[in-house]
Amino acid sequence: MKIKNVIFFGLLWGVIYFGTNNIMLFTAREFPLFPFESKISMNEYWMIPYVSWIIYIVAFCLSIKKEARKFILLATLLVVIHALIFIFYPVEFPRHYDFNSLCAVNKFLLSCDNPRNCFPSLHVSLIFLTLLSARLLGISKIMRYLFAIWGAVIMISVIFVKQHYLIDVLVGIIMTTIYFYLFKNRFRESF
């Protein structure tokens, strides 16, 4: 896959994501927290893997040996589905931590990312789509293991940076699994 294609689709995904991040047609809902979720405090260090999601996606796309275009299109459709959910069923994660105690970089990152597009987690969905499709896309076994470890850390990070509920993670995984198998069967001849 060519870097210019990855950059083009990355920018497209960014426009869709940040566009829906700032569109408010309906009042955002808050979900109840599981008891253990309310005990998890904001941990700034988890912001590093949370933001590394961008590098992860670029690295994954550049690692694809076959069917890169089809994967990018599937990922783009997944981003659009999330965007529609974010617009018509906005869910907000409550930020009950001391925003002023965060370092300047984290304040800036969190100010750019409103917490009202959290259900389901797009971070988790795209990471999980890569993990489900890595073998089919010709990514080597060693690279698949590295992506699995990195991806798991990113998926955990969304909880510790207080951007997502646990239910956002679970629904992201379930939705992406269903989505992947629907399209895998449809494109069986090429995958």
Side-chain angles (χ1 to χ4, degrees):
M1 165 141 280
K2 295 181 179 175
I3 190 78
K4 67 178 184 176
N5 294 338
V6 174
I7 291 170
F8 171 77
F9 281 101
L11 290 172
L12 176 64
W13 297 348
V15 167
I16 293 169
Y17 176 79
F18 284 107
T20 61
N21 194 264
N22 292 296
I23 295 173
M24 282 297 288
L25 298 179
F26 302 99
T27 303
R29 299 156 184 78
E30 287 187 14
F31 289 154
L33 294 168
F34 288 106
F36 70 89
E37 279 183 291
S38 59
K39 293 180 179 156
I40 297 172
S41 58
M42 167 63 164
N43 186 319
E44 287 191 82
Y45 298 107
W46 282 97
M47 191 61 77
I48 296 166
Y50 180 77
V51 173
S52 79
W53 171 77
I54 297 165
I55 299 166
Y56 174 99
I57 294 296
V58 170
F60 183 85
C61 290
L62 293 174
S63 300
I64 297 172
K65 303 277 188 248
K66 57 184 180 180
E67 302 297 342
R69 180 184 166 113
K70 197 164 281 186
F71 173 78
I72 293 290
L73 293 175
L74 287 175
T76 301
L77 180 57
L78 187 62
V79 170
V80 169
I81 291 168
H82 276 72
L84 292 172
I85 295 170
F86 297 157
I87 291 170
F88 293 105
Y89 192 79
V91 174
E92 183 172 49
F93 192 92
R95 288 183 172 169
H96 298 305
Y97 52 86
D98 183 8
F99 197 73
N100 293 322
S101 70
L102 302 178
C103 75
V105 172
N106 287 343
K107 281 185 198 177
F108 171 74
L109 291 171
L110 291 173
S111 70
C112 296
D113 194 12
N114 292 322
R116 63 176 176 250
N117 56 358
C118 62
F119 178 81
S121 170
L122 182 58
H123 270 73
V124 169
S125 291
L126 281 175
I127 296 291
F128 206 67
L129 182 64
T130 67
L131 298 178
L132 289 172
S133 57
R135 186 178 59 80
L136 301 172
L137 295 168
I139 294 177
S140 72
K141 193 173 192 176
I142 292 172
M143 289 302 292
R144 289 196 314 262
Y145 285 131
L146 292 174
F147 281 120
I149 292 166
W150 187 2
V153 172
I154 293 170
M155 289 192 284
I156 292 167
S157 77
V158 304
I159 300 293
F160 287 98
V161 295
K162 306 303 274 182
Q163 286 290 99
H164 288 281
Y165 298 92
L166 179 60
I167 195 74
D168 303 335
V169 173
L170 299 175
V171 171
I173 289 170
I174 292 167
M175 185 179 106
T176 304
T177 302
I178 294 166
Y179 174 81
F180 173 75
Y181 284 103
L182 284 173
F183 280 99
K184 180 185 174 200
N185 290 335
R186 183 175 178 142
F187 297 115
R188 185 183 302 268
E189 66 279 357
S190 60
F191 275 134

